[in-house]
Amino acid sequence: MDRIHLAQVPRNNQGKISYSSIPSMVVRVMVAEEELLVLKRRVKRHHDVRDRLHISEQELAGLEEHIADLEEKLTEWRALVGQP
């Protein structure tokens, strides 16, 4: 299995992915990689104001902060799993 659909992962009461509920570190890495791809696509679409999924500057700042945090965790989890 190469990809995981994000609708299938556990979430907290705020709708965010609950990584602590995912017992397998390998699966955590896969979920984080997929979430990172989705978030980066959202940032890319931010620049087109005609896009129906356009986000505000305030949301963009929060999104970029979440991406940075997720990339840091992903690096740590990959090290634990032994992935480059």
Side-chain angles (χ1 to χ4, degrees):
M1 175 168 40
D2 296 335
R3 296 182 67 185
I4 289 185
H5 195 283
L6 294 179
Q8 299 172 325
V9 298
R11 297 184 178 268
N12 62 19
N13 57 359
Q14 295 155 348
K16 295 183 179 183
I17 295 174
S18 176
Y19 286 98
S20 60
S21 298
I22 302 172
S24 169
M25 196 59 67
V26 173
V27 175
R28 276 188 199 186
V29 168
M30 292 172 64
V31 170
E33 288 172 342
E34 189 66 25
E35 183 183 18
L36 207 51
L37 288 173
V38 169
L39 295 175
K40 286 182 177 182
R41 279 195 304 263
R42 285 193 67 200
V43 168
K44 187 176 176 183
R45 294 181 76 168
H46 160 75
H47 301 291
D48 184 1
V49 293
R50 297 170 296 170
D51 193 328
R52 65 181 182 82
L53 296 176
H54 176 76
I55 57 175
S56 68
E57 291 295 325
Q58 184 178 8
E59 287 177 279
L60 179 64
L63 194 59
E64 289 174 334
E65 183 179 313
H66 181 63
I67 288 172
D69 183 47
L70 189 57
E71 285 175 335
E72 184 179 312
K73 288 179 184 175
L74 186 56
T75 301
E76 177 185 327
W77 294 336
R78 281 179 177 155
L80 289 172
V81 177
Q83 289 183 354

